[in-house]
């Protein structure tokens, strides 16, 4: 990639602005001053502006362990949003692959790769999202079976899900849709009272970080989210 394009993509400035910086000798590559805007930047080159390393703009994949009380949105005037938890130079370009309600915690994936996000959220792709559900009442086997069968929620009928009881008041539920309030509505439909809801896994990508933390994933790790277990 040309140096001027590399720098403008990295939001150092516009194409014309970065050309001026380059010609003034403000840019170093591998500790050598480069004054040619057309210089070809290689993958392993270290590019610096004012002795600060410039991060290349590429596909970004972030795992976030969302706490309760944060809105799954890029900005809001009244409620803290999940982007407030992320310190990344390109965070404003990120989209959320499957939102969580403000009172739900757990795994969120954010990326600027639109095709990747589509593969996660599209019901046709049948990517399982795994939730840990706690209920006020003890969970009867019959209600667990009801949870696994297609369920008419009024505006749509769910696909079959996978559910297992972890203890008398805790269920692990895997669904492929993720419609608006779907898990909450499914639990209400079988006359159970939800007390806690957390997403722990998408595809075969498991939540591995503490609540409130985030990490940038490699492409290889991110692809686990669109693969089966």
């Amino acid at each position: 990639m040309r140096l001027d394009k590399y720098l403008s993509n990295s939001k150092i400035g516009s194409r014309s602005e970065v050309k001026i910086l380059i010609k003034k000798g403000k840019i170093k590559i591998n500790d050598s001053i480069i004054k040619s805007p057309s210089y070809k930047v290689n993958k392993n080159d270290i590019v610096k502006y004012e002795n600060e390393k410039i991060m290349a703009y590429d596909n970004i994949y972030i795992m976030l362990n969302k706490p309760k009380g944060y809105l799954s949105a890029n900005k809001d005037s009244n409620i803290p949003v999940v982007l407030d938890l992320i310190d990344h130079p390109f965070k404003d370009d990120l989209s959320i692959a499957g939102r969580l309600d403000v009172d739900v915690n757990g795994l969120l994936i954010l990326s600027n790769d639109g095709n990747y996000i589509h593969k996660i959220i599209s019901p046709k792709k049948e990517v399982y999202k795994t939730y840990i559900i706690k209920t006020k009442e003890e969970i009867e086997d019959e209600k667990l079976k009801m949870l696994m069968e297609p369920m008419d929620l009024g505006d749509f009928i769910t696909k079959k899900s996978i559910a297992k009881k972890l203890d008398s008041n805790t269920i692990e539920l895997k669904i492929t849709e993720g419609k608006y309030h779907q898990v909450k509505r499914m639990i209400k439909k079988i006359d159970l009272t939800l007390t806690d809801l957390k997403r722990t896994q998408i595809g075969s990508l498991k939540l591995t970080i503490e609540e409130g933390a985030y990490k940038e994933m490699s492409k290889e790790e991110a692809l686990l989210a669109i693969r089966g277990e």
Side-chain angles (χ1 to χ4, degrees):
M1 183 184 295
R2 284 174 56 109
L3 178 56
D4 55 354
K5 181 173 174 59
Y6 181 97
L7 293 172
S8 61
N9 283 354
S10 299
K11 305 198 176 180
I12 300 303
S14 67
R15 198 74 172 261
S16 59
E17 288 170 339
V18 299
K19 282 181 179 179
I20 293 171
L21 293 176
I22 295 166
K23 289 175 181 178
K24 287 184 175 180
K26 300 288 187 180
I27 306 300
K28 288 184 178 180
I29 297 181
N30 304 327
D31 291 326
S32 296
I33 293 173
I34 303 297
K35 292 189 175 183
S36 171
S38 62
Y39 179 93
K40 296 294 184 183
V41 180
N42 294 315
K43 183 177 180 181
N44 296 322
D45 284 340
I46 297 173
V47 182
K48 290 183 178 181
Y49 168 54
E50 294 184 342
N51 288 320
E52 291 289 329
K53 185 177 177 181
I54 304 304
M55 183 181 293
Y57 185 86
D58 203 349
N59 285 335
I60 301 160
Y61 307 94
I62 286 178
M63 172 191 290
L64 171 68
N65 188 342
K66 174 193 170 300
K68 294 178 181 179
Y70 283 81
L71 192 66
S72 293
N74 291 60
K75 57 183 177 180
D76 188 272
S77 57
N78 300 312
I79 305 174
V81 297
V82 294
L83 266 291
D84 295 337
L85 299 166
I86 295 172
D87 181 17
H88 192 285
F90 306 127
K91 75 175 188 178
D92 290 337
D93 296 337
L94 300 176
S95 297
I96 301 166
R99 298 167 186 268
L100 292 175
D101 291 344
V102 70
D103 60 345
V104 177
N105 62 320
L107 176 59
L108 274 185
I109 298 174
L110 300 96
S111 179
N112 60 348
D113 184 341
N115 184 52
Y116 170 76
I117 289 175
H118 174 73
K119 288 178 180 178
I120 292 175
I121 65 177
S122 173
K124 293 180 181 179
K125 302 298 181 182
E126 297 195 338
V127 173
Y128 277 105
K129 291 85 176 174
T130 304
Y131 297 85
I132 302 298
I133 300 161
K134 293 188 179 295
T135 62
K136 182 178 178 180
E137 303 85 1
E138 290 193 5
I139 302 151
E140 300 169 357
D141 290 342
E142 185 60 33
K143 291 191 174 182
L144 193 68
K145 290 177 183 176
M146 290 170 62
L147 204 57
M148 290 189 275
E149 293 301 317
M151 187 179 292
D152 189 349
L153 295 180
D155 54 338
F156 79 103
I157 297 173
T158 67
K159 295 183 179 181
K160 284 190 174 185
S161 61
I162 300 170
K164 67 178 180 180
K165 191 157 60 173
L166 301 182
D167 61 41
S168 60
N169 297 82
T170 309
I171 303 167
E172 179 187 82
L173 177 68
K174 295 176 182 285
I175 61 173
T176 57
E177 300 107 328
K179 299 275 189 178
Y180 183 66
H181 292 326
Q182 180 176 340
V183 175
K184 292 178 179 178
R185 294 165 70 190
M186 290 172 72
I187 295 300
K188 185 177 181 180
K189 183 81 173 181
I190 59 172
D191 296 319
L192 291 175
T193 307
L194 184 75
T195 60
D196 192 63
L197 178 59
K198 180 177 183 177
R199 185 160 64 200
T200 58
Q201 189 170 329
I202 297 175
S204 56
L205 180 69
K206 296 180 179 180
L207 186 62
T208 58
I209 53 178
E210 294 181 357
E211 188 170 296
Y214 76 93
K215 72 169 186 175
E216 188 164 357
M217 299 183 287
S218 66
K219 180 70 175 287
E220 290 72 23
E221 184 178 11
L223 287 175
L224 292 173
I226 56 177
R227 294 174 183 158
E229 294 184 65

